[in-house]
Amino acid sequence: QSDISDDLTTILVTEQEIRDKLAELARQIETDYAGKDVLLVGVLKGAVMVMADLARELRIPLSMDWMAVSSYGAGTKSSGVVQIRKDLDADLTGRHVLIVEDIIDSGLTLSWLLENFASRGAASIEVCALLRKPEAAKVHVECKYVGFDIPNDFVVGYGLDFDEKYRNLRDVGVLAPHVYA
Ligand code: PRP
Ligand code: MN
Ligand code: MG
């Protein structure tokens, strides 16, 4: 029986490191949103794991909504073309929105989303991303809560996929080149 973790060359962030970091970020978020009703917006599908774990770390009142966008398809490079597959259910008017992402790579997805959300009348919009690749940035995205800055490698796990696979890995790791070559 093959084990999907055999397709990784390196583990970059372990399950335990993710858990500790989300707890740390959650304490900051609880302080910053004290007395406010926050709407967490998870960006499907990559953010599912971060959303589930971050939300359970938070001890403040919150709602969750989901936006499905995709810019990668089956490739390893961002196309820059963002498609909405599912829009929000919630009306953002007057809401304190915290966008939850697994990774900021080129930044194109989030900058597009931030622009899209800006016109919807939110009281505030911030971003929480577990991972960020500074060397891959094509556009600057203001992100208040960042878990880890990582090198510009193709990473999978903890929600991040290659061709829809590897999302169920508990750690984040570098995908072996032979898998996508
Ligand atoms: C991935 C990832 C981020 C985005 C980051 O999503 O989950 O949403 O790419 O890349 P960028 O900063 O270069 O835009 P993807 O489009 O692969 O969809 P998925 O979440 O369904 O995997
Ligand atoms: Mn995504
Ligand atoms: Mg993807």
Side-chain angles (χ1 to χ4, degrees), residues 45-46 70-72 78 101-103 105-109 161 167:
K45 306 172 216 170
S70 193
S71 64
Y72 273 67
S78 179
E101 259 289 32
D102 50 339
I103 189 166
D105 199 312
S106 69
L108 292 169
T109 303
D161 72 305
R167 296 193 198 272

